[in-house]
Amino acid sequence: IDTDINITKSYAHTLFNKDYIQFEPWIEKANDVDLYIYLKPDAPYIQDGRRLNKSDRDQLDKSHWKFFENKNN
């Protein structure tokens, strides 16, 4: 999948300064997986008018990566 509960939480933190969003326990459980394959944002950046600017995209990627690093601790 492209976006799960973890990415939603990271977006909320980075874009809306919301550090905690409460979800039903079953939603948390349904999003508990054994393996994530994390892809780097290494495709050429093309602004099509609907995307974050490149620096915001890169900051969001750092937020996502940090979120997963902290989740494993």
Side-chain angles (χ1 to χ4, degrees), residues 3 5 9 12 17-18 21-22 24 27 30 47 49 67-68 70-71:
T3 304
I5 192 173
K9 289 177 180 181
N17 202 27
K18 301 280 185 185
I21 300 174
Q22 189 171 4
E24 295 287 330
I27 295 172
Q47 180 53 272
F67 182 87
F68 283 109
N70 291 336
K71 186 173 178 63

Side-chain angles (χ1 to χ4, degrees), residues 1-2 7 33-40 65 68:
I1 59 175
D2 171 82
I7 296 299
V33 299
D34 294 328
L35 175 68
Y36 278 94
I37 299 173
Y38 192 90
L39 303 176
K40 293 182 180 181
W65 184 253
F68 283 109

Side-chain angles (χ1 to χ4, degrees), residues 45-52:
Y45 177 79
I46 299 172
Q47 180 53 272
D48 64 2
R50 296 176 293 185
R51 307 202 180 278
L52 296 172

Side-chain angles (χ1 to χ4, degrees), residues 2-68:
D2 171 82
T3 304
D4 69 352
I5 192 173
N6 299 296
I7 296 299
T8 300
K9 289 177 180 181
S10 178
Y11 268 104
H13 171 75
T14 303
L15 300 178
F16 306 112
N17 202 27
K18 301 280 185 185
D19 282 327
Y20 185 75
I21 300 174
Q22 189 171 4
F23 291 93
E24 295 287 330
W26 70 268
I27 295 172
E28 295 277 356
K29 179 85 172 133
N31 282 269
D32 188 21
V33 299
D34 294 328
L35 175 68
Y36 278 94
I37 299 173
Y38 192 90
L39 303 176
K40 293 182 180 181
D42 56 1
Y45 177 79
I46 299 172
Q47 180 53 272
D48 64 2
R50 296 176 293 185
R51 307 202 180 278
L52 296 172
N53 64 48
K54 185 171 181 335
S55 65
D56 288 343
R57 178 195 77 166
D58 293 344
Q59 182 60 40
L60 185 59
D61 175 64
K62 288 177 187 175
S63 172
H64 291 340
W65 184 253
K66 184 177 178 183
F67 182 87
F68 283 109

